[in-house]
Amino acid sequence: MTTVSHPPLSTPGWRAWLIWSVGVAAYVLAITNRTSLGAVGVDAAERFHADASTLSLFAVVQLAVYGGMQIPIGVFLDKYGARPIITIGMVLMAAGQLVMAISPSIGVAILARILLGAGDAAVFPAVLRLVATWFPAQRGPVMVQFTGIIGQTGQLIALIPLAALLYATSWTITFGSIAGLGILFAILVFLIIRNHPPERTADVSVNTDTGVVRVVTSAIDTGVGIRAAWAHPGTRLAFWSHFTTPFAGTAFVLLWGMPFLTAGQGLSTAHAAALVSVYVVAGMILGPITGTLSQRNPNQRTTALVLPAIAIQFVAWLVIIALPGPAPTWLLYVLAIALATGGPASMIAFDHARTHNPSHRLSTATGVTNAGGFIAALIAIFLIGLMLDLQGAGTPDTYSLDAFRMAFLTQVPLWLIGATFIIIERKRTRIRIGMDPERRKR
């Protein structure tokens, strides 16, 4: 990358705020698309006559495509900028939801989730790029936090209005309506968003720590970049932090939370949706708090925030699973809040990636890090569905609380493996940067 002499923007104008607002609105719709199946999982199982493993496959394929597209999306962003990437992302998601609306079979529905995952993968990194190019360096971290928080309202849209529309109309009308919104937003993005301010002649990246503005090019050997990023223990610490903290919440809200709460715990659909909404709102509240604590204690992020968030989720699920009958309502709300700690804690992984990688490798390291959480989530979602099937409880008619207990126990190995690697890579990182003495060889 080549350094240029343009100073960073001092004050964002109305155009910057308009472009950011459109980008964030597109991100809200992307989150709605991502979680649309979670709110209607039981209906999907009945429509496609799908057992639990097959239902899991919908989410697994979507997350696998999302994770696999992270690094390619970074390369495309480097070359073409945010405007065309978000536009294409919205069109792909619209196509995915249209296919889902008219899908006659499981195979076609899986194709729909592939399109959805590919489109979803494009939006968030592109909006973060808009933040870097249109806002001054010192506002970058705050704008990123706001982008993430506002985007999570998409989960609330999926939970309440989308589910209500489905029950009031039909499957085809509901998912066709989301597809229509996707096309409208694709047009809006193309008309309003611009890659960079008019006074600049190239798409740029702003270093939020130094304010240095750089022209970003695609002339990067991604293979070398990936190997170099992974070689640093700080990147591996970031990967395992993102692998371990958010997957339980993702599996809960993306697919298995509503069936567990309704068929397993006996809650009404409205009550279950309200409880999942608490998960979303709690994450939005905890995000700025976690971000502030991370900023104030950069050397204790893992021990003070990441590992405690994992422990809280682990304990909350074990308590729910250990109870002989349905959990009291207040305890289910505790579970929702405990799971909500995972999302904000996972953002600390990107602090690790940014801290331990040079600017020319940051996009690659961020892509590697972001893939971690989605790899863990797709494993968790699939294992939960597989365990339900193995117990003969793979359809809405056969779901049971005991079957869900055993199914959610499959998350435990992921927490243990992830926490172990976090501790190992944290030690290696501290040795690498000189904070701890190197171990003596025997």
Side-chain angles (χ1 to χ4, degrees):
M1 293 185 291
T2 306
T3 304
V4 294
S5 58
H6 300 300
L9 300 173
S10 56
T11 303
W14 66 269
R15 193 174 186 182
W17 287 107
L18 175 63
I19 287 172
W20 176 77
S21 298
V22 173
V24 169
Y27 180 48
V28 170
L29 183 57
I31 294 290
T32 302
N33 278 286
R34 183 189 304 172
T35 55
S36 57
L37 196 62
V40 296
V42 174
D43 301 86
E46 293 174 346
R47 175 180 176 84
F48 297 110
H49 306 290
D51 58 21
S53 295
T54 304
L55 193 61
S56 293
L57 191 60
F58 289 153
V60 166
V61 167
Q62 178 184 335
L63 291 176
V65 172
Y66 183 104
M69 288 293 292
Q70 287 304 300
I71 294 175
I73 286 296
V75 174
F76 291 142
L77 278 170
D78 286 345
K79 188 170 185 178
Y80 300 110
R83 179 194 184 198
I85 298 304
I86 299 178
T87 303
I88 292 171
M90 302 310 294
V91 171
L92 285 173
M93 284 189 289
Q97 295 292 33
L98 181 60
V99 172
M100 180 62 80
I102 61 176
S103 171
S105 65
I106 291 173
V108 177
I110 289 174
L111 172 62
R113 305 314 286 182
I114 290 173
L115 293 170
L116 199 65
D120 184 15
V123 179
F124 185 58
V127 176
L128 293 188
R129 190 179 188 86
L130 291 174
V131 170
T133 53
W134 282 92
F135 288 84
Q138 64 272 21
R139 293 203 185 189
V142 175
M143 296 303 297
V144 169
Q145 285 282 354
F146 275 131
T147 300
I149 291 170
I150 295 172
Q152 297 313 305
T153 59
Q155 297 186 54
L156 297 178
I157 296 173
L159 278 170
I160 302 172
L162 182 64
L165 180 62
L166 175 62
Y167 297 134
T169 57
S170 68
W171 180 278
T172 301
I173 291 175
T174 300
F175 285 90
S177 299
I178 307 175
L181 276 177
I183 294 299
L184 289 176
F185 267 84
I187 296 170
L188 189 66
V189 165
F190 188 79
L191 291 177
I192 294 178
I193 287 180
R194 294 295 180 269
N195 287 345
H196 50 78
E199 63 269 19
R200 293 179 182 151
T201 58
D203 199 10
V204 297
S205 174
V206 182
N207 185 314
T208 55
D209 294 324
T210 66
V212 172
V213 181
R214 298 176 183 271
V215 174
V216 182
T217 69
S218 59
I220 299 173
D221 186 333
T222 55
V224 172
I226 294 170
R227 289 194 297 271
W230 186 257
H232 197 296
T235 304
R236 299 196 297 270
L237 173 61
F239 174 88
W240 287 110
S241 296
H242 201 259
F243 180 96
T244 318
T245 46
F247 76 81
T250 302
F252 190 82
V253 75
L254 200 62
L255 188 60
W256 291 119
M258 291 292 286
F260 167 72
L261 294 172
T262 53
Q265 293 290 335
L267 301 184
S268 66
T269 301
H271 193 177
L275 199 146
V276 177
S277 299
V278 168
Y279 160 85
V280 178
V281 173
M284 295 169 66
I285 294 171
L286 290 170
I289 297 172
T290 302
T292 301
L293 294 174
S294 175
Q295 185 177 15
R296 291 180 179 178
N297 303 280
N299 296 328
Q300 303 299 325
R301 290 167 176 160
T302 299
T303 54
L305 296 170
V306 173
L307 291 175
I310 296 168
I312 288 170
Q313 296 175 73
F314 180 83
V315 171
W317 259 126
L318 286 188
V319 170
I320 294 287
I321 290 170
L323 290 177
T329 302
W330 66 267
L331 189 56
L332 293 174
Y333 281 97
V334 170
L335 173 66
I337 295 171
L339 293 177
T341 64
S346 73
M347 298 304 290
I348 295 171
F350 298 106
D351 293 333
H352 291 314
R354 183 175 61 249
T355 301
H356 300 296
N357 284 276
S359 58
H360 69 272
R361 208 167 62 212
L362 182 56
S363 294
T364 302
T366 299
V368 170
T369 300
N370 202 24
F374 291 95
I375 291 171
L378 68 87
I379 294 172
I381 289 171
F382 177 74
L383 289 179
I384 291 168
L386 179 62
M387 183 58 72
L388 286 172
D389 276 346
L390 291 176
Q391 298 174 88
T395 62
D397 292 336
T398 57
Y399 287 158
S400 69
L401 181 55
D402 287 339
F404 274 116
R405 284 199 187 98
M406 293 299 297
F408 281 110
L409 273 176
T410 59
Q411 299 175 114
V412 172
L414 296 176
W415 278 314
L416 296 180
I417 292 170
T420 299
F421 277 105
I422 286 171
I423 294 169
I424 291 171
E425 298 300 347
R426 178 179 184 269
K427 183 65 176 179
R428 289 174 175 170
T429 301
R430 289 175 66 86
I431 293 172
R432 176 74 171 264
I433 63 179
M435 294 187 67
D436 286 348
E438 189 168 358
R439 295 169 181 170
R440 292 180 180 180
K441 295 182 179 180
R442 293 182 180 180

